[in-house]
Amino acid sequence: MLTFYSEDSRLRQARTELHDGALVTPFECPERLDLVLKHLRQSGLGDIRTPSAYGLAPVLAVHDKEYVTFLANCWQAWGAAGHKGEAIPNIWPARTMRSDRIPRSISGQLGYYALAAETSISEGTFEAAMASKDVALGALEHTLKTGEPSFGLCRPPGHHAAYDQFGGYCFFNNAAIAAQRALEAGKRRVAILDVDFHHGNGTQQIFYQRDDVLFISLHGDPEVTFPYYLGYADENGEGRGEGFNVNYPLPPGTSVATWMATLEQALATIEAAECELLIVSLGVDIFEGDPISAFTFTSADFTVLGQRLAQAGLPCVFLMEGGYAVDAIGVNVVNVLQGFEQ
Ligand SMILES: NCCCCCC(=O)NO
Ligand SMILES: [Zn+2]
């Protein structure tokens, strides 16, 4: 299995994340890449390739143009406005405010486009997000061309990024960009299976009214888990998209047996929908040792996950999402990929 990776993923070197009422070193750190690369190289899974630069067109196929322009300019505009720290929103078009206008102020724009306050924008963030979607597209193109599975070592991750919103460490929705590209290449329906601990609110939102992408997510119950305001079981899609969005919220501490039984339901739905490609939003923060999550996977369980996904019998693109137990992230990711190849 080939891996696609870009050194430009390291251009995002944010120093702050708002967590538990303090500014901490971000959980989504460049060191995550080091450990995955180390275990990939040790595993002999396959070559690690740098993708081509695919430009903005694939981004604009799923994201709002003004949002992309905001992301491209935010860091410079934030500094030009005299702000000294990293760009962190502190006001939003909250429920009692209006959201039909976008303020000229960069502080106002920051809140308009932000899902949450934990994700700071800093120097190199836009460039890293561009590299991350190129990684996803490189992996996708390889799988479309060869039918072989591939892995996109995407950083920053993407599944929280909506049409015009960033947050949860995500800026461009890599899985959505890849799925859209696959449809444009002739696939009639693509399944995105999100196994990250957190609900892929952005992926859901982008495809919610469409029947050419089936979005299925297993995740921590939003009643008690980020992103809290999307990911409930009654969200089944709208219009043409009715029936093509399936959420499986699960309580913190869910056993692996229960998680795997839920996966069976998800895979049955994917099979019934006659999907021609499987994109897996691979968040390994379902690991028992993850610092910000609450599921119970052991490293060995990730091998079983990969084995089961292979049985779906679809061309498969794995795209890195979350996973913050840095010491174990490499083993856990490689276990999924090696399990798939067994
Ligand atoms: N308190 C912020 C939690 C961000 C979650 C990031 C993630 O792993 N999403 O999948
Ligand atoms: Zn996550």
Side-chain angles (χ1 to χ4, degrees):
M1 185 185 306
L2 287 191
T3 292
F4 288 79
Y5 161 71
S6 169
E7 276 297 319
D8 287 353
S9 297
R10 297 177 188 277
L11 292 172
R12 174 169 168 76
Q13 294 279 339
R15 295 189 322 281
T16 58
E17 171 177 348
L18 184 58
H19 177 73
D20 279 355
L23 288 180
V24 302
T25 300
F27 289 97
E28 200 293 290
C29 57
E31 291 72 25
R32 297 172 65 238
L33 296 169
D34 300 327
L35 274 294
V36 176
L37 289 167
K38 173 183 172 220
H39 286 277
L40 281 169
R41 291 179 176 126
Q42 285 174 355
S43 73
L45 189 83
D47 287 346
I48 300 173
R49 293 194 184 157
T50 301
S52 307
Y54 291 88
L56 274 177
V59 177
L60 296 171
V62 298
H63 287 292
D64 172 60
K65 184 169 174 33
E66 279 63 42
Y67 167 63
V68 175
T69 303
F70 159 78
L71 280 181
N73 300 328
C74 177
W75 177 243
Q76 186 278 330
W78 177 258
H83 300 293
K84 300 297 180 230
E86 296 186 327
I88 298 176
N90 61 14
I91 185 164
W92 276 262
R95 281 178 294 104
T96 58
M97 312 277 261
R98 58 190 288 189
S99 61
D100 62 322
R101 292 181 60 106
I102 305 175
R104 276 204 311 275
S105 149
I106 187 63
S107 295
Q109 291 183 13
L110 195 50
Y112 179 84
Y113 288 116
L115 166 76
E118 82 289 306
T119 304
S120 59
I121 291 180
S122 55
E123 184 170 16
T125 292
F126 178 78
E127 291 75 13
M130 287 291 282
S132 189
K133 58 90 185 164
D134 286 336
V135 163
L137 289 167
L140 173 83
E141 296 286 359
H142 175 70
T143 296
L144 290 180
K145 187 174 154 198
T146 66
E148 290 300 310
S150 60
F151 171 51
L153 178 48
C154 297
R155 180 193 180 258
H159 72 149
H160 293 301
Y163 171 69
D164 63 353
Q165 200 160 58
F166 76 94
Y169 315 152
C170 303
F171 303 92
F172 292 148
N173 196 308
N174 304 311
I177 290 168
Q180 181 61 34
R181 182 82 173 217
L183 294 165
E184 290 167 3
K187 295 296 182 188
R188 286 190 297 274
R189 179 172 288 133
V190 175
I192 299 177
L193 174 65
D194 191 326
V195 300
D196 189 286
F197 175 68
H198 306 91
H199 177 249
N201 60 285
T203 315
Q204 171 171 315
Q205 187 263 343
I206 288 169
F207 296 117
Y208 203 59
Q209 298 176 344
R210 292 173 51 173
D211 62 358
D212 54 357
V213 174
L214 168 64
F215 177 68
I216 300 191
S217 178
L218 291 75
H219 50 270
D221 186 341
E223 288 276 12
V224 293
T225 304
F226 183 98
Y228 302 110
Y229 307 107
L230 211 65
Y232 292 88
D234 64 351
E235 299 155 14
N236 299 118
E238 276 172 1
R240 291 177 64 104
E242 178 76 32
F244 291 91
N245 192 94
V246 186
N247 286 327
Y248 293 103
L250 296 167
T254 289
S255 71
V256 174
T258 299
W259 195 98
M260 292 290 185
T262 307
L263 178 67
E264 289 305 316
Q265 298 176 52
L267 292 174
T269 304
I270 290 171
E271 186 173 9
E274 298 179 325
C275 299
E276 297 179 326
L277 173 74
L278 174 60
I279 294 174
V280 178
S281 272
L282 181 59
V284 293
D285 46 6
I286 55 180
F287 179 55
E288 62 185 354
D290 195 87
I292 64 166
S293 306
F295 280 171
T296 60
F297 265 56
T298 65
S299 293
D301 292 322
F302 285 105
T303 304
V304 176
L305 173 58
Q307 290 166 339
R308 185 61 190 88
L309 293 175
Q311 292 167 4
L314 287 172
C316 188
V317 180
F318 291 91
L319 298 179
M320 191 79 234
E321 298 284 359
Y324 310 102
V326 178
D327 291 346
I329 190 171
V331 172
N332 292 341
V333 168
V334 169
N335 280 358
V336 174
L337 305 179
Q338 285 190 315
F340 188 89
E341 293 239 292
Q342 277 173 5

